[in-house]
Amino acid sequence: MKDMKRLLLILAISVLLNGCASFGRGITEAILEKQDNEDTRLCEITGNQFTGLKPQLEAPGRKMKVLMLHGVGNHLPGYSTEFLEKLAKELDLPVTTRAYKNIKLVDPKDPGKNLGNLRIHRYLDQFQSQELLFYELTWSEITAKDKEVLAYDNSGEQSFRRAEVNDLLKKFSNDTGPDPIIYLGEKRDDILVAFAQSFCWMISGDWTSLPDDVHKVCSSKNVTPFYNDSYAFVSHSLGSRITIDGLQRLASIYADGETAAYYTAIANVLKNKEIPIYMMSNQLPMLQLGRATPKIANQEAAYCKPDGEKFAERMLLKTNIIAFSDPNDLLSYALPHDFVSKYLDSRLCINVTNININVAKIYDAFGLGKLANPMDAHIGYDTDDRVIALIAKGIANERTAPIVKERCRWIKTID
């Protein structure tokens, strides 16, 4: 009889607990759904207004050329597909070619060395009067060999000892953590040559003149600069450091009088250009640690003003950096003016607009505080509709997208 009563008590408690659990789960789901629907995520732009890619795309007789550079971790050609398709839709470019083109990049000084892949897509408007050439650089195969040192740690010999979630995190760390370290070593030059070769192909011609499925150097023999075209960069995490270092390297090589024709061609194209760099999860401050400052810094007035004594020696007319940072992204930093003046080459004539934006959703953890997934905060930029709209059409101009007008706040800065 006592056993029967005990059994009935256990069954009753079980029913109650299950009921409470279901009830609690229902409340939790309702609260989370309500928070999802409200979507009060931050979007705050501080700096000068910018136009995005659309005006350059609409300019008669001009092509818009964009180079994208990925960040840490292993990437395969095609990694930018979702971003590119969303961007093309926002720019109203519904026409594309049947196939993209691939160029295996080569070091001009060491033709046997593989420097990654450059994939080119072509998008047009319905009248085929507006044209976007999108260049996707995949440089991660340059660092892949070095990362094999950690391959044993991803094997069953080690991984089965970890909890499942911890094992996933460890494998992610082994894939992404080494890249900034490797970049500071001897592979840095290879990655920067890959950047220079990619930009060389960008200025070398139009869609029909670009080769496909080749392993080929971009050199003085195939460079025919298209001076009238517009250029832009899109980068993520370490890709932003590579972009800045690549431009600074081009400036230094040109200033040192190196005679490589394609460096000269690149420099001539850049000198009178205003080029935007859309940086997602910007890491320039962190990746500056332990590095020497540029030889030419704190000289913006001399190089960037038309009446400056060294204006003729500038690398670009203006470099507009639009830096996207999620406050919950543990690896992203805003770019204060003092950092730009002290740590970035004055010949780039850099102007910064900081965009403080939540790309990861924030949830109220039932009185314990608010939380956001830091992983989503680091990788969610290139699929966020507001980020896409800002890159495509900017802020505070007649083309600004409705989602930006409704969801973002612009704080203009003045001297």
Side-chain angles (χ1 to χ4, degrees):
M1 187 67 177
K2 288 183 179 179
D3 291 339
M4 182 60 71
K5 286 183 179 179
R6 187 177 292 113
L7 178 60
L8 290 173
L9 180 61
I10 292 172
L11 288 173
I13 292 173
S14 176
V15 170
L16 287 172
L17 289 176
N18 286 334
C20 289
S22 298
F23 182 68
R25 184 166 55 250
I27 292 176
T28 302
E29 290 174 350
I31 292 173
L32 293 178
E33 183 178 353
K34 182 173 182 290
Q35 293 182 38
D36 278 342
N37 291 335
E38 289 178 346
D39 196 2
T40 57
R41 290 177 299 162
L42 175 73
C43 178
E44 190 173 84
I45 296 109
T46 305
N48 295 335
Q49 66 187 91
F50 60 96
T51 61
L53 303 178
K54 189 63 173 176
Q56 285 72 38
L57 193 65
E58 293 176 340
R62 182 182 299 177
K63 298 177 182 63
M64 184 71 232
K65 297 180 177 181
V66 178
L67 174 62
M68 185 163 191
L69 294 90
H70 64 76
V72 296
N74 183 52
H75 288 72
L76 297 174
Y79 65 85
S80 66
T81 300
E82 184 176 5
F83 169 79
L84 174 56
E85 290 183 357
K86 290 171 75 75
L87 180 64
K89 182 178 180 181
E90 185 67 33
L91 290 170
D92 193 21
L93 301 175
V95 180
T96 188
T97 52
R98 282 193 180 88
Y100 45 73
K101 294 185 177 183
N102 280 304
I103 301 173
K104 299 297 290 184
L105 300 174
V106 181
D107 187 338
K109 295 181 179 179
D110 185 1
K113 185 181 291 184
N114 188 356
L115 296 181
N117 187 80
L118 186 66
R119 176 169 290 185
I120 307 105
H121 295 263
R122 186 189 190 202
Y123 278 84
L124 305 103
D125 69 337
Q126 61 178 332
F127 304 108
Q128 299 186 29
S129 60
Q130 299 176 22
E131 181 176 356
L132 170 68
L133 292 181
F134 188 88
Y135 299 73
E136 175 204 80
L137 171 59
T138 306
W139 55 263
S140 61
E141 57 189 274
I142 297 173
T143 62
K145 188 69 176 176
D146 294 63
K147 290 196 285 188
E148 290 179 3
V149 173
L150 299 178
Y152 76 94
D153 194 54
N154 295 334
S155 69
E157 180 182 359
Q158 302 295 327
S159 62
F160 87 96
R161 305 176 194 278
R162 306 182 189 114
E164 288 86 350
V165 174
N166 296 71
D167 185 49
L168 289 172
L169 291 173
K170 189 64 182 296
K171 288 177 178 176
F172 175 79
S173 176
N174 288 342
D175 180 41
T176 59
D179 281 318
I181 300 171
I182 297 170
Y183 181 68
L184 294 176
E186 61 182 13
K187 292 298 173 65
R188 179 169 176 259
D189 284 344
D190 289 346
I191 295 172
L192 294 182
V193 172
F195 172 86
Q197 282 285 296
S198 297
F199 195 68
C200 179
W201 284 115
M202 286 179 74
I203 70 169
S204 66
D206 57 13
W207 173 259
T208 56
S209 65
L210 286 169
D212 181 29
D213 195 24
V214 296
H215 196 251
K216 189 174 182 179
V217 172
C218 183
S219 68
S220 58
K221 296 179 181 179
N222 51 31
V223 170
T224 307
F226 278 51
Y227 292 97
N228 196 41
D229 292 340
S230 297
Y231 301 92
F233 300 100
V234 177
S235 59
H236 184 263
S237 67
L238 180 57
S240 298
R241 181 78 256 182
I242 294 168
T243 302
I244 290 295
D245 286 350
L247 290 172
Q248 290 182 162
R249 183 175 182 271
L250 290 174
S252 298
I253 290 174
Y254 183 58
D256 289 344
E258 185 164 316
T259 57
Y262 77 95
Y263 279 117
T264 303
I266 290 173
N268 289 336
V269 169
L270 291 176
K271 203 165 191 177
N272 294 304
K273 293 289 185 183
E274 290 190 20
I275 295 184
I277 308 174
Y278 299 95
M279 295 184 176
M280 299 180 282
S281 185
N282 163 57
Q283 296 176 7
L284 294 184
M286 182 176 68
L287 295 172
Q288 181 62 41
L289 299 176
R291 297 178 51 159
T293 56
K295 293 180 180 179
I296 300 176
N298 281 312
Q299 299 183 49
E300 291 88 349
Y303 284 92
C304 303
K305 293 183 180 294
D307 58 352
E309 59 184 25
K310 296 183 178 180
F311 184 65
E313 300 173 36
R314 70 194 181 280
M315 181 62 185
L316 283 97
L317 190 62
K318 185 183 290 185
T319 304
N320 294 310
I321 292 181
I322 295 91
F324 296 90
S325 297
D326 188 323
N328 298 303
D329 180 355
L330 304 181
L331 299 174
S332 184
Y333 302 84
L335 283 179
H337 176 74
D338 290 348
F339 176 86
V340 174
S341 297
K342 185 176 181 180
Y343 294 108
L344 300 182
D345 196 307
S346 297
R347 290 170 293 181
L348 297 179
C349 300
I350 291 173
N351 176 72
V352 175
T353 297
N354 283 297
I355 301 181
N356 205 11
I357 185 168
N358 292 134
V359 295
K361 293 178 180 177
I362 300 175
Y363 297 101
D364 188 342
F366 309 104
L368 299 176
K370 294 183 178 180
L371 60 90
N373 186 333
M375 185 73 69
D376 291 343
H378 183 63
I379 65 174
Y381 299 89
D382 57 359
T383 57
D384 188 287
D385 291 338
R386 296 162 300 166
V387 173
I388 303 293
L390 284 163
I391 294 174
K393 298 175 181 176
I395 184 73
N397 65 76
E398 67 276 7
R399 298 179 182 83
T400 301
I403 191 173
V404 173
K405 292 179 180 179
E406 296 167 6
R407 301 278 302 282
C408 297
R409 177 189 176 209
W410 175 45
I411 302 173
K412 182 179 180 179
T413 57
I414 58 175
D415 293 332

